[in-house]
């Protein structure tokens, strides 16, 4: 039975599809049933006869010449020379194999293959004094098998072993074959050898089980690995640190796709294995803790990474370079520069010499920090060059360019670029490198738009093709001068070369149009973006496009609306425009640009993009999580809705109340003063009706202002920018917001009486459309 299993090893990827149907390790008989069907009828009949005998196959029968052929991807000979020619032509060297197969005397094709696969690795068996039946001889043969460079060669040695008269095998023989499978990254075939080993009645030892678990890790056979652990325990073997660590590595590194668990779930599963091994008295080693820290880093949990490191130190396990590499990458990539420097000092205190990767992680932390620090990055680079056996590489200079770009140090970015080229890393210069330089020129106050385009010309001259990041960066650079024509011309040029604008390009283009005062163009760009999004929906929104979490990449989101609303407020943006208006004592008026912003906001709210307030109850507005321009437009939309609703609701009762009063006044006197008195009485009656409809307005802007502040304690520190922005917007329209003292939330309130008075006196001047 095991003979049939190993004689039909699949030629590569096809075995994955066949074996993946079974969640457990298949028995030899099941392997034969699943894998023999596509083969010739003669081999299937021979396998069925072998299975029917019920006798465990000896090693010489298990490892046939057909297994030797198919281990390297060769199919067994089919019935007739036509099929042989068809199969032989499809592969490298196929014609030579067909010639060899035809050159026989018409005998068994498998015998012909065996004749061409004999080796002389066991020629020493013929030496004088060698005892064929001794354990020492078999051990030496097993070592020879384990040293083979391929599964084909290993099985050929077994054929030679059989030809020399040795027809016995022990655990070491199977272990040697499994070792070769692992070296060749053929985990499925290692499981087939294990099935044959079990069928032959040979019990695997700890080393064999651990090697098999490692093979499952290579082949990502999750269920098989844990079934091997169960087999090990059923056999009376206690899993050791190698077993548990290999299982953790399998759990952690299994790809997060097609129903696989998330990184955080994989970290939790690895921690369960860690707790189990500790409860069983198995002492974890450095590799165990490194695997756990890697899992936490993959899950973006730097706190857990540090926690596992604390467990490692508490357990008396000395850390190594890999340990600190994982620590630095985890805390540094998240911009935690202070924590990364503390880890670096810990590394030096532990006596672990830094490497190039160590300094690269630290420079990356300088780049990703909340406040990028180019000065610190250059200081680390200088220290790196003075360190022993540490040399900068291409990644070092790319990270330096990134740090300088984000810190606004354009000269530093150019300096790093020049050093990169002078040190011989010219081949590492890519389109991405130039994109960073262009971005630094666009963002730095000392550089100009022309500098960015000069770098773009240099990039093209050196043969680097621009991409969508190049397009977005250069369009953004045009915003310095408000050069809309140049931005549009560049977009047309690159789209003609196949560079299609993405959401970032649309955002940059709206920003340029806003700085140029062309709010109509910005609205048109948003409409174009929405049209592209609808086209994407038609192409990809077939029900399967979102199966794996895909989202429409062109659907306008918060950044798009933020840029648009800034454009509608003018070249300075919403926040600066409102602040300037309040400082000079002016009043905000709903201009055509702001009316367009409010219309876009309402349209987005109707589609579910925004839900800051309810039309049914507009006296509470929650702008938490919004940007300041969006919060400003949301508040304008809210106030316009309240004014429109109050005006409509009061129109009918006001008319009913004021009509008799006006008639009486007209009857009492015909002069103009009496008519004016009648109109005043009517307005007063209308105002009283409005007062009965208006309530206090509450605007929520955020949560408690200070972290870890006890509930009920008076707020500390400065008000957040969003709170200040909402307060200024209220002042700009003539309303006074008062800070509300709540337990956990930040909020402003406008008194209902003040709001009713504002509706009567100022609303019409703020919103001219109310008087139409």
């Amino acid at each position: 039975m095991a003979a049939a299993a190993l004689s039909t090893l699949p030629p590569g990827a096809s075995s994955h599809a066949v074996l993946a149907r079974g969640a457990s390790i298949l028995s030899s008989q099941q392997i034969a049933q699943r894998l023999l069907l596509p083969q010739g009828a003669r081999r299937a009949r021979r396998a069925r006869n072998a299975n029917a005998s019920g006798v465990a196959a000896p090693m010489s029968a298990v490892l046939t010449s057909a297994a030797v052929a198919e281990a390297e991807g060769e199919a067994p000979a089919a019935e007739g020379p036509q099929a042989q020619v068809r199969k032989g032509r499809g592969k490298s060297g196929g014609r030579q194999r067909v010639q060899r197969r035809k050159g026989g005397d018409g005998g068994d094709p498998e015998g012909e293959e065996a004749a061409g696969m004999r080796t002389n690795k066991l020629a020493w068996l013929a030496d004088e004094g060698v005892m064929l039946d001794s354990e020492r001889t078999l051990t030496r043969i097993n070592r020879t098998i384990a040293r083979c460079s391929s599964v084909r060669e290993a099985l050929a040695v077994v054929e030679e072993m059989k030809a020399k008269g040795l027809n016995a095998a022990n655990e070491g023989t199977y272990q040697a074959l499994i070792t070769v499978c692992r070296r060749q990254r053929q985990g499925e075939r290692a499981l087939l050898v294990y099935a044959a080993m079990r069928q032959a009645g040979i019990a695997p030892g700890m080393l064999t089980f651990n090697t098999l678990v490692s093979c499952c890790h290579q082949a990502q056979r999750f269920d098989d690995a844990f079934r091997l652990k169960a087999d090990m325990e059923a056999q009376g073997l206690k899993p050791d640190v190698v077993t548990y660590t290999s299982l953790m590595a399998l759990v952690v590194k299994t790809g997060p796709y097609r129903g696989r668990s998330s990184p955080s779930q994989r970290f939790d599963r690895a921690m369960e294995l860690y707790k189990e091994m500790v409860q069983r008295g198995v002492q974890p080693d450095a590799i165990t803790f490194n695997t756990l820290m890697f899992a936490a880093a993959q899950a973006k949990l730097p706190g857990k990474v540090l926690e596992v490191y604390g467990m490692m130190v508490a357990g008396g396990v000395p850390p190594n370079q890999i340990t600190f590499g994982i620590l630095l990458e985890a805390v540094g990539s998240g911009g935690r520069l202070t924590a990364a420097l503390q880890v670096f000092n810990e590394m030096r205190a532990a006596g672990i010499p830094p490497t190039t990767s160590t300094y690269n992680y630290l420079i990356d932390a300088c780049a990703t920090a909340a406040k990028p620090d180019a000065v610190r990055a250059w200081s680390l680079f200088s220290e790196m060059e003075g360190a022993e056996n540490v040399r900068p590489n291409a990644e070092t200079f790319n990270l330096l360019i990134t740090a300088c770009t984000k810190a606004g140090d354009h000269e530093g970015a150019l300096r790093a670029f020049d050093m990169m080229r002078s040190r011989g890393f010219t081949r590492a210069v890519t389109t991405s490198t130039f994109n960073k330089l262009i971005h630094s020129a666009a963002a730095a106050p000392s550089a100009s738009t022309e500098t960015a385009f000069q770098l773009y010309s240099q990039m093209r001259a050196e043969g680097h093709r621009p991409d969508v990041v190049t397009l977005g960066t250069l369009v953004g650079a045009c915003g310095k001068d408000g050069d809309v024509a140049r931005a549009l011309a560049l977009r047309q040029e690159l789209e003609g070369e196949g560079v299609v604008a993405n959401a970032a390009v649309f955002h940059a283009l709206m920003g340029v149009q806003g700085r140029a005062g062309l709010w109509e163009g910005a609205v048109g760009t948003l409409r174009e973006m929405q049209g592209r999004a609808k086209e994407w929906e038609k192409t990809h929104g077939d029900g399967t496009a979102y199966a794996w979490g895909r989202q429409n990449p062109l659907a306008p989101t918060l950044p798009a609306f933020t840029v648009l609303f800034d454009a509608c407020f003018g070249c300075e943006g919403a926040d600066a425009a409102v602040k300037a208006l309040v400082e000079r004592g002016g009043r905000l008026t709903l201009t055509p640009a702001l009316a367009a912003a409010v219309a876009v906001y309402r349209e987005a709210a109707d589609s579910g993009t925004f839900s800051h307030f309810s039309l049914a109850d507009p006296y509470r507005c929650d702008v938490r999580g919004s940007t300041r321009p969006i919060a400003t437009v949301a508040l304008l939309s809210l106030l316009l809705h309240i004014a429109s609703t109050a005006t409509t609701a009061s129109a009918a009762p006001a008319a009913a109340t004021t009509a008799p009063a006006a008639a009486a006044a007209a009857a009492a006197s015909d002069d103009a003063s009496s008519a004016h008195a009648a109109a005043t009485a009517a307005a007063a009656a209308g105002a009283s009706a409005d007062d009965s409809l208006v309530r206090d307005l509450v605007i929520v802007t955020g949560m408690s202002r200070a972290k870890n502040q006890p509930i009920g304690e008076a707020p500390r520190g400065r008000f957040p920018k969003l709170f200040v922005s909402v307060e200024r917007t209220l002042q700009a329209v003539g309303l006074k917001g008062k800070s509300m003292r709540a337990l956990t939330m930040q909020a402003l309130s406008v008194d209902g009486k003040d709001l009713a008075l504002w509706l009567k006196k100022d609303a019409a001047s703020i919103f001219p459309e109310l008087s139409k």
Side-chain angles (χ1 to χ4, degrees), residues 531-614:
R532 292 276 189 95
K534 291 180 180 178
E535 292 177 4
W536 191 94
E537 289 284 352
K538 293 178 181 179
T539 306
H540 301 86
D542 56 355
T544 61
Y546 304 98
W548 310 112
R550 293 179 62 188
Q551 296 180 353
N552 191 327
L554 290 171
T557 54
L558 291 184
F561 291 107
T562 299
V563 176
L564 175 66
F565 295 160
D566 267 336
C568 291
F569 272 90
C571 58
E572 296 181 348
D575 208 43
V578 172
K579 179 180 179 181
L581 194 66
V582 170
E583 288 177 349
R584 67 172 181 262
R587 283 287 181 266
L588 187 64
T589 304
L590 198 69
T591 63
L594 296 186
V598 170
V600 169
Y601 175 87
R602 286 183 169 178
E603 178 185 317
D606 291 340
S607 65
T609 303
F610 299 125
S611 57
H612 298 117
F613 61 90
S614 169

Side-chain angles (χ1 to χ4, degrees), residues 218-528:
Q218 289 179 345
Q220 294 191 353
R221 302 292 292 272
F222 185 91
D223 294 333
D224 286 341
F226 280 90
R227 190 155 281 107
L228 281 168
K229 176 175 176 285
D231 290 349
M232 180 190 305
E233 294 170 336
Q235 192 175 306
L237 296 175
K238 179 183 176 182
D240 61 6
V241 62
V242 177
T243 312
Y244 278 109
T245 303
S246 297
L247 289 172
M248 288 180 193
L250 174 63
V251 169
V252 169
K253 297 181 181 179
T254 301
Y257 56 87
R258 295 189 181 276
R260 305 292 180 116
S261 55
S262 66
S264 59
Q265 290 173 327
R266 283 180 279 161
F267 170 70
D268 293 339
R269 180 70 177 109
M271 285 300 298
E272 290 175 4
L273 288 169
Y274 169 77
K275 293 176 182 177
E276 178 183 328
M277 71 180 292
V278 172
Q279 289 174 355
R280 292 190 172 190
V282 180
Q283 180 64 36
D285 59 9
I287 301 176
T288 308
F289 286 111
N290 288 345
T291 304
L292 288 172
M293 284 191 287
F294 178 82
Q298 291 292 101
K300 307 296 183 185
L301 299 171
K304 292 293 182 181
V305 176
L306 294 172
E307 181 180 330
V308 173
Y309 175 71
M311 293 161 47
M312 183 179 189
V313 174
V317 179
N320 52 29
Q321 281 187 340
I322 297 176
T323 307
F324 287 107
I326 296 172
L327 276 170
L328 283 172
E329 185 176 14
V331 300
S333 61
R336 298 170 178 84
L337 179 56
T338 302
L341 293 172
Q342 290 175 347
V343 171
F344 181 54
N345 291 334
E346 178 88 358
M347 180 179 182
R348 292 193 291 187
I352 304 297
T355 64
T356 298
S357 297
T358 304
Y359 285 101
N360 286 348
Y361 289 140
L362 291 169
I363 295 173
D364 184 40
C366 295
T368 57
K371 186 178 180 181
D373 193 344
V375 176
R376 172 74 72 173
W378 280 110
S379 174
L380 289 167
F381 176 77
S382 299
E383 181 181 339
M384 178 183 189
E385 290 204 300
E388 186 177 358
N389 298 325
V390 178
R391 294 292 179 271
N393 57 16
E395 184 182 4
T396 307
F397 292 106
N398 272 317
L399 290 171
L400 269 175
I401 293 172
T402 303
C404 293
T405 298
K406 292 187 175 181
D409 183 7
H410 179 60
E411 290 76 12
L414 290 177
R415 175 187 167 198
F417 178 65
D418 292 339
M419 292 179 66
M420 181 180 185
R421 305 184 74 154
S422 64
R423 300 286 181 92
F425 296 112
T426 304
R427 296 183 63 182
V429 176
T430 63
T431 298
S432 176
T433 307
F434 275 102
N435 286 343
K436 294 172 186 176
L437 293 171
I438 293 171
H439 179 74
S440 69
S446 59
S448 64
T449 305
E450 200 58 41
T451 304
F453 275 88
Q454 288 173 359
L455 287 166
Y456 170 66
S457 299
Q458 180 183 351
M459 168 185 169
R460 303 207 70 155
E462 294 184 9
H464 300 287
R465 296 187 60 183
D467 57 14
V468 69
V469 178
T470 314
L471 174 59
T473 306
L474 285 170
V475 169
C478 294
K480 275 191 170 184
D481 306 325
D483 196 344
V484 179
R486 192 172 194 177
L488 292 174
L490 177 69
R491 178 189 171 188
Q492 183 177 2
E493 174 191 342
L494 292 187
E495 286 194 338
E497 298 179 12
V499 179
V500 181
N502 60 8
V505 174
F506 282 108
H507 299 166
L509 187 56
M510 284 190 288
V512 176
Q513 292 165 330
R515 292 185 187 95
L518 302 176
W519 64 267
E520 300 96 332
V523 174
T525 301
L526 180 74
R527 298 305 182 192
E528 181 187 355

